[in-house]
Amino acid sequence: QASERRAHRNINYVQGDMCAIPDELGPWDFALCLGNSLALVSSRDDVRQVLRSVHENLATGGLFMFQILNFEHPSAQKPRQRIEEERNGHARIVAVKDLIPDEDRTLLAMAFFLKDEDGRHTATSNTAVLLHLTREFLIEAADDAGFAIRGVYGGYDRHPFDPDQSPDLIMLLKV
């Protein structure tokens, strides 16, 4: 969708397995991983493989930025629900996100309720299991992959990460 909606001659959009990025796709100047995608991999070994794979495909001086939920936050230790709503004219979408932690994983169940411009209603849902990743583990894994840590943030406004306060964990890594 991004390549259709935001085509640009200097941007290549790629979809694939982030644990096995084909070498012929790089080198890149920048790689971006949002929406808890890194927490969707099945094991910490796979997270390490993702970091190695991205590192191998970045040009010298290239940057890698990723965002995940802050699984160290006290609220991440108990079930919680987030409801978000967006309106655009007569269109409306409501997203209901249920997060249920269990040991080192969290079940994420998402339901979407949509009302289009013509007043038609639809609903869809999906589930995923998120691996709890901590700042300490990610710094170690990034270092092992050969990255230099350029920033560890608690939000997109680049405020410093605080495990007890920050909703997100955002890291900026450099080759």
Side-chain angles (χ1 to χ4, degrees):
Q1 288 182 0
S3 61
E4 291 174 14
R5 293 183 181 184
R6 301 282 188 221
H8 191 281
R9 62 183 168 87
N10 293 326
I11 297 175
N12 294 321
Y13 296 98
V14 177
Q15 179 179 343
D17 182 350
M18 63 183 160
C19 291
I21 300 169
D23 290 339
E24 64 270 10
L25 294 177
W28 300 320
D29 296 319
F30 183 68
L32 181 64
C33 184
L34 302 175
N36 285 304
S37 297
L38 195 58
L40 288 169
V41 299
S42 59
S43 71
R44 283 172 180 70
D45 286 342
D46 285 346
V47 171
R48 290 179 183 280
Q49 178 56 40
V50 168
L51 293 174
R52 284 191 300 269
S53 187
V54 171
H55 185 275
E56 291 168 3
N57 282 280
L58 284 172
T60 302
L63 297 172
F64 178 39
M65 187 178 93
F66 63 83
Q67 170 272 331
I68 61 170
L69 289 174
N70 172 14
F71 294 104
E72 298 176 70
H73 194 282
S75 70
Q77 310 310 313
K78 55 188 174 196
R80 60 203 186 280
Q81 184 178 69
R82 286 181 57 186
I83 300 173
E84 299 171 12
E85 180 177 349
E86 286 289 326
R87 291 180 180 268
N88 184 1
H90 293 291
R92 175 181 178 219
I93 183 168
V94 177
V96 180
K97 300 175 184 178
D98 292 304
L99 296 109
I100 301 147
D102 183 45
E103 297 177 6
D104 70 338
R105 317 266 171 167
T106 290
L107 170 66
L108 171 61
M110 296 185 294
F112 301 93
F113 180 64
L114 308 125
K115 178 182 171 187
D116 68 19
E117 288 285 338
D118 297 324
R120 292 182 298 248
H121 291 85
T122 57
T124 187
S125 64
N126 61 24
T127 59
V129 177
L130 303 174
L131 179 63
H132 294 183
L133 300 171
T134 63
R135 170 183 52 177
E136 180 180 315
F137 167 78
L138 290 165
I139 288 172
E140 176 190 315
D143 185 58
D144 289 348
F147 281 106
I149 310 296
R150 287 293 176 242
V152 180
Y153 308 108
Y156 291 108
D157 61 359
R158 295 193 297 175
H159 66 271
F161 176 76
D162 178 342
D164 294 324
Q165 298 293 322
S166 300
D168 293 310
L169 171 58
I170 297 171
M171 293 185 75
L172 181 62
L173 310 176
K174 184 174 183 178
V175 172

